[in-house]
Amino acid sequence: MEPKKVSESRIINTDQVLSCDLNNYNTLFGGVLMKKLDSAATLSARRHARVKECVTASTDSIDFLCPIHQTDSVCIESFVTYTGRTSMEIFCKVIAEDMMTGERRIAATAFLTFVALDENKKPVEVPGVIPETEEEQFLYETGKERAEMRKMRRQKSKELAQYITVKKPWDN
């Protein structure tokens, strides 16, 4: 399987911020942004793997760096930065642009991991990646470390799950 250039998985989605997307601080709801990130990352994963279905395996982090206001546009850029055998790490950056002044800022960053599935919903092998820009190279070179941290965190989550009850507080 031939590796693909990072640029081949790039998705860019720009949208306006609507009043219904705002929280009580008049900034974009974090959950609205999370949905946009997941949607863009899904398309990057599917574009890279060229499969019908990719599922979110994890969201490492979404770092909200500055608020997004109704006067801003919100641009999400996502692309595959690192791959395992069946998994893909997707980096998302959120660029807010003040539509009145044209000032742009990085409003958030996120790493999500997706697994490509075949028609039987079984994981399928994915191509490697070829970074081209300095940004892509940095993300690629640091990808293995993030993948190892992800595995460790997943193991800790499985251990924690053994101690968590499914019993409702009102059950006897």
Side-chain angles (χ1 to χ4, degrees), residues 4-156:
K4 294 182 175 182
K5 294 177 183 177
V6 169
S7 59
E8 293 181 66
S9 66
R10 182 168 278 113
I11 294 289
I12 299 171
N13 184 8
T14 305
D15 210 349
Q16 60 186 338
V17 178
L18 302 175
S19 59
C20 60
D21 298 331
L22 301 176
N23 60 27
N24 55 323
Y25 301 107
N26 278 328
T27 60
L28 185 68
F29 264 116
V32 169
L33 184 58
M34 290 165 73
K35 184 176 190 284
K36 291 176 184 287
L37 290 169
D38 192 55
S39 180
T42 300
L43 290 173
S44 285
R46 288 181 60 203
R47 181 175 274 174
H48 182 79
R50 289 296 176 199
V51 294
K52 184 178 178 182
E53 198 172 359
C54 287
V55 292
T56 311
S58 74
T59 301
D60 286 14
S61 62
I62 300 174
D63 294 311
F64 300 100
L65 304 174
C66 65
I68 300 171
H69 305 282
Q70 191 173 2
T71 54
D72 295 329
S73 68
V74 59
C75 175
I76 296 172
E77 181 180 349
S78 66
F79 47 90
V80 176
T81 52
Y82 189 79
T83 59
R85 196 177 66 75
T86 61
S87 65
M88 297 162 279
E89 175 190 79
I90 289 90
F91 175 67
C92 297
K93 63 180 164 182
V94 179
I95 303 166
E97 179 180 346
D98 184 308
M99 296 309 292
M100 303 300 288
T101 67
E103 178 223 349
R104 292 181 184 163
R105 60 204 185 279
I106 299 292
T109 59
F111 285 97
L112 295 88
T113 303
F114 283 77
V115 174
L117 302 178
D118 66 15
E119 54 281 344
N120 299 312
K121 308 233 183 272
K122 300 289 182 212
V124 62
E125 199 169 328
V126 297
V129 293
I130 303 168
E132 296 178 290
T133 68
E134 188 177 343
E135 178 183 55
E136 293 168 1
Q137 190 68 40
F138 174 79
L139 292 165
Y140 176 78
E141 288 171 1
T142 54
K144 185 175 178 67
E145 182 183 342
R146 282 188 302 276
E148 288 168 3
M149 288 173 27
R150 226 173 265 126
K151 277 185 184 169
M152 194 180 340
R153 193 180 68 237
R154 184 171 177 82
Q155 184 56 43
K156 293 290 182 191

